[in-house]
Amino acid sequence: MIRFYLIITALLFGFLSHAQKQGSAKRPNIVYIMSDDHGYQAISAYGYGLNKTANIDRLAKEGILFNRATVTNSLCAPSRAVLLTGKHSYINGKIDNEAKFNWDQDNFAKLLQQHGYQTALIGKIHMDGIPQGFDHSAVLIDQGEYYNPNFIINGEKQQLQGYVTDLTTDMTLDWIAHRDTNKPFCVLYHQKAPHREWLPALRHIKSYTAQTFKEPATLFDDFSNRGTAAKTAEMNILKHMSWAGDNKVPPAMVDELGLKSFLTWDKAAFNNNLGRMNAAERAAWDSVYNPIMEEFKAKYPNMSQEDLMRWRYQRYMQDYLGTVAAVDDGVGRLLDFLKENNLDENTIVIYTSDQGFYLGEHGWFDKRFMYEESLRTPLLIRYPKEITAGSKSDALVQNLDFAPTILDYAGVEIPKEMQGKSFRKIMNGKEKKFRDAIYYTYYEYPSIHMVKRHYGIRTDRYKLIHFYYDADEWELYDLEKDPQEMHNVYSDPAYRKIRSQMHKKLDKIRKEYKDSNENNQRFISQIKNK
């Protein structure tokens, strides 16, 4: 009798084990690609004509492109914390780049691990501490370096030889190739590029420095009809970009020409970044950049402020878009690898950025503001089993929703504490409506770029922003009539009714997301007490 029960138990265990493996096999793999500071304008699928990103565009052709994806806090580390936790910054605690992130709190990778997924984090995370929720991690230290970078690989510091974008791709593909094939996998494949100070791969420098890029219509914006925040921000390409670190003018030439550096670390950035190159890399770099700088040196005495702005814009775009080219190369290698290994049909591939970025609009670089170029992030997703090729969506999805959506696909229950929601049914066409407004907060002030603290709400058509701390100013924009946000209509009598409706909507959404003025005061007190 005992033998009979043992046999039955063994058979039952074998059946359950087989069923579990079969269930795991059916669950999708997930590749989440996040670049850093990649504006949607610099992805050719969005139609701005700045550059060509043939491989990222494949995700749009074979999947879905979101036109109105946004972030909750347009800053590197806070955006990543929101991705992991599915919670707003004031809930997960990572309000700015300086605040510590508590890795002990739940994140979606931990939940995937608990439900049979193998997980990895490779590339930039920009948060202190050992990442939790990952079977394997290979992360850059802080912002990371473009050439011959340092990584922390499973807790051990290593300097790798090569270009950071390529190395991040190499490690991602290697991890997938050597994974446990009995488990579904999720890998966070995070690129440093195109983050400042924009050092392209050597294979791209000659072609990109030879190009002239179209200037945005608002390059010389004077900020009339806008408030104090836009007028006092320190992110103007002419006034606030560094000459050596950003534009690659050699420090000796900066001194010779009497160029005034806005930033104390300007020359150090140049020396540190290029100083990481080996002799062959530096020689190849100098062979392209030195003639550009000599030409600038000859022209400089006769250049007007307008000439200088235009020159600096081109230098910015040449290097920025040059770094994007290597990111696109990596996406192509990944998609080819998945196809060659019969993984493409059952793998969800997500491409996004940690926020948007100014590519000369309003004369700016960087992000932080709730204005469109900073608020919006690219989002393209491919999953042949559910997503119709060539789809587009105007749904107001946010990075707040990534964790719930990934858990939904993995068949894992979404914790009630997560504030985002799955947009899976938007992608598979089962639902058309998602949310009617998104909520945004920004806290890193006073700090680099001097973008004032603010919060606000955006609907399909309107945007209401409140700047506070050392200001008390409201801005309202009609995005249908004024997509470039050139005219604050908050005090316009014609928008009195809209203004009232937006205030009510803002109050309601703040209550729903558990934010308040008391939260703002608490974070202000923390800064003052440092």
Side-chain angles (χ1 to χ4, degrees):
M1 193 71 174
I2 293 173
R3 185 181 177 192
F4 172 78
Y5 280 117
L6 287 173
I7 291 170
I8 293 297
T9 302
L11 288 171
L12 183 60
F13 178 81
F15 173 78
L16 291 173
S17 177
H18 176 73
Q20 190 175 44
K21 284 184 179 180
Q22 289 296 103
S24 295
K26 292 178 182 177
R27 288 188 289 170
N29 304 307
I30 300 149
V31 178
Y32 176 89
I33 312 169
M34 177 181 273
S35 53
D36 194 308
D37 292 346
H38 192 178
Y40 56 89
Q41 316 94 298
I43 292 177
S44 43
Y46 279 94
Y48 286 82
L50 257 184
N51 61 333
K52 292 183 179 180
T53 50
N55 295 303
I56 298 173
D57 288 2
R58 284 167 62 184
L59 295 173
K61 291 174 184 175
E62 299 171 10
I64 187 168
L65 179 147
F66 285 87
N67 288 310
R68 291 177 177 171
T70 61
V71 296
T72 61
N73 183 346
S74 185
L75 201 59
C76 299
S79 178
R80 294 160 201 274
V82 171
L83 154 70
L84 289 167
T85 65
K87 302 173 186 176
H88 276 278
S89 301
Y90 50 87
I91 301 292
N92 68 49
K94 187 65 178 170
I95 60 167
D96 57 26
N97 281 337
E98 300 301 320
K100 295 291 184 182
F101 178 67
N102 178 17
W103 280 101
D104 291 337
Q105 65 186 299
D106 272 345
N107 66 51
F108 79 84
K110 290 183 183 182
L111 294 171
L112 290 179
Q113 274 187 322
Q114 293 165 17
H115 288 82
Y117 270 76
Q118 191 175 14
T119 60
L121 168 60
I122 300 170
K124 183 174 178 181
I125 191 63
H126 196 202
M127 292 193 290
D128 291 337
I130 302 298
Q132 295 182 27
F134 303 97
D135 299 301
H136 173 79
S137 64
V139 298
L140 292 161
I141 301 170
D142 194 42
Q143 297 287 3
E145 304 94 1
Y146 275 103
Y147 281 85
N148 306 316
N150 291 310
F151 279 85
I152 302 292
I153 302 178
N154 295 323
E156 180 184 345
K157 181 179 177 180
Q158 297 182 38
Q159 182 176 9
L160 303 183
Q161 299 301 304
Y163 186 64
V164 68
T165 307
D166 300 336
L167 292 169
T168 303
T169 302
D170 292 342
M171 287 190 285
T172 300
L173 299 186
D174 184 69
W175 182 83
I176 297 174
H178 294 93
R179 74 196 186 281
D180 181 351
T181 55
N182 291 316
K183 295 181 178 181
F185 68 85
C186 175
V187 57
L188 276 58
Y189 163 34
H190 287 191
Q191 293 290 16
K192 168 186 170 62
H195 193 277
R196 196 179 186 183
E197 286 92 16
W198 315 297
L199 274 69
L202 294 176
R203 65 183 178 276
H204 292 305
I205 58 176
K206 187 174 291 186
S207 61
Y208 276 83
T209 55
Q211 295 183 53
T212 300
F213 297 95
K214 183 181 178 181
E215 297 173 359
T218 60
L219 183 63
F220 293 96
D221 192 353
D222 64 2
F223 303 106
S224 57
N225 302 314
R226 259 69 50 79
T228 305
K231 294 172 183 174
T232 58
E234 296 177 352
M235 45 204 282
N236 181 267
I237 292 171
L238 176 61
K239 298 175 182 177
H240 304 123
M241 189 171 275
S242 71
W243 285 102
D246 291 332
N247 290 156
K248 315 302 187 299
V249 180
M253 189 177 292
V254 169
D255 291 338
E256 182 181 357
L257 297 178
L259 302 174
K260 294 181 179 179
S261 290
F262 175 72
L263 299 164
T264 56
W265 45 261
D266 180 11
K267 297 173 188 176
F270 178 98
N271 291 327
N272 292 337
N273 290 335
L274 273 64
R276 301 189 66 85
M277 297 177 176
N278 61 37
E281 290 167 339
R282 184 62 186 270
W285 179 276
D286 287 345
S287 70
V288 174
Y289 280 80
N290 283 354
I292 294 171
M293 299 310 157
E294 288 300 324
E295 182 182 14
F296 169 67
K297 179 181 174 181
K299 291 181 177 179
Y300 177 72
N302 298 313
M303 294 174 76
S304 65
Q305 292 295 294
E306 186 176 304
D307 293 335
L308 284 172
M309 177 60 143
R310 291 202 154 103
W311 185 86
R312 301 196 79 176
Y313 169 75
Q314 293 300 330
R315 281 276 53 253
Y316 170 33
M317 284 297 93
Q318 288 164 358
D319 289 346
Y320 177 96
L321 297 174
T323 66
V324 169
V327 173
D328 190 61
D329 292 343
V331 172
R333 289 178 58 199
L334 171 82
L335 294 177
D336 290 345
F337 176 89
L338 293 176
K339 187 174 182 64
E340 289 163 6
N341 289 275
N342 298 315
L343 292 168
D344 55 324
E345 291 300 308
N346 195 41
T347 300
I348 300 168
V349 181
I350 302 167
Y351 185 89
T352 189
S353 176
D354 51 358
Q355 66 263 318
F357 211 68
Y358 291 104
L359 304 184
E361 298 89 359
H362 309 292
W364 285 340
F365 65 104
D366 207 70
K367 57 264 185 177
R368 300 166 195 268
F369 275 110
M370 197 187 167
Y371 303 136
E372 287 295 280
E373 293 85 0
S374 170
L375 174 69
R376 284 176 57 193
T377 186
L379 180 59
L380 309 91
I381 303 177
R382 180 191 185 278
Y383 186 41
K385 286 187 175 182
E386 284 198 17
I387 301 172
T388 302
S391 301
K392 291 187 178 181
S393 175
D394 289 331
L396 294 173
V397 301
Q398 286 195 287
N399 57 345
L400 190 71
D401 305 316
F402 292 159
T405 303
I406 290 170
L407 293 176
D408 187 0
Y409 274 112
V412 178
E413 185 178 353
I414 301 167
K416 292 180 180 178
E417 294 77 18
M418 285 190 175
Q419 297 179 297
K421 58 182 182 177
S422 172
F423 53 88
R424 180 179 182 176
K425 290 182 179 179
I426 294 294
M427 291 191 283
N428 62 26
K430 291 183 178 180
E431 290 184 358
K432 297 295 182 185
K433 293 183 179 180
F434 190 60
R435 60 163 62 91
D436 63 359
I438 60 98
Y439 183 55
Y440 179 88
T441 60
Y442 177 77
Y443 303 94
E444 193 168 283
Y445 176 88
S447 186
I448 185 171
H449 299 301
M450 297 300 283
V451 173
K452 294 184 183 296
R453 294 171 182 243
H454 58 289
Y455 60 89
I457 188 173
R458 185 208 195 279
T459 65
D460 283 344
R461 178 168 176 176
Y462 300 103
K463 185 183 294 181
L464 179 67
I465 310 172
H466 183 213
F467 293 95
Y468 64 97
Y469 180 60
D470 63 350
D472 183 14
E473 297 182 8
W474 291 87
E475 295 183 5
L476 176 65
Y477 294 96
D478 183 339
L479 300 172
E480 184 178 291
K481 293 184 177 179
D482 180 24
Q484 295 176 323
E485 296 166 298
M486 302 291 284
H487 302 281
N488 174 19
V489 295
Y490 187 81
S491 299
D492 187 335
Y495 285 86
R496 185 180 294 114
K497 185 177 179 180
I498 296 298
R499 183 179 68 198
S500 176
Q501 291 173 349
M502 290 294 286
H503 270 287
K504 289 178 182 177
K505 202 174 275 286
L506 177 61
D507 291 342
K508 180 181 177 183
I509 205 169
R510 294 188 85 198
K511 186 175 181 180
E512 288 176 357
Y513 283 133
K514 300 178 182 178
D515 196 15
S516 63
N517 291 337
E518 287 73 25
N519 277 343
N520 294 338
Q521 289 303 315
R522 176 164 55 92
F523 295 133
I524 289 170
S525 296
Q526 289 177 8
I527 293 292
K528 289 182 176 179
N529 292 332
K530 278 187 178 180

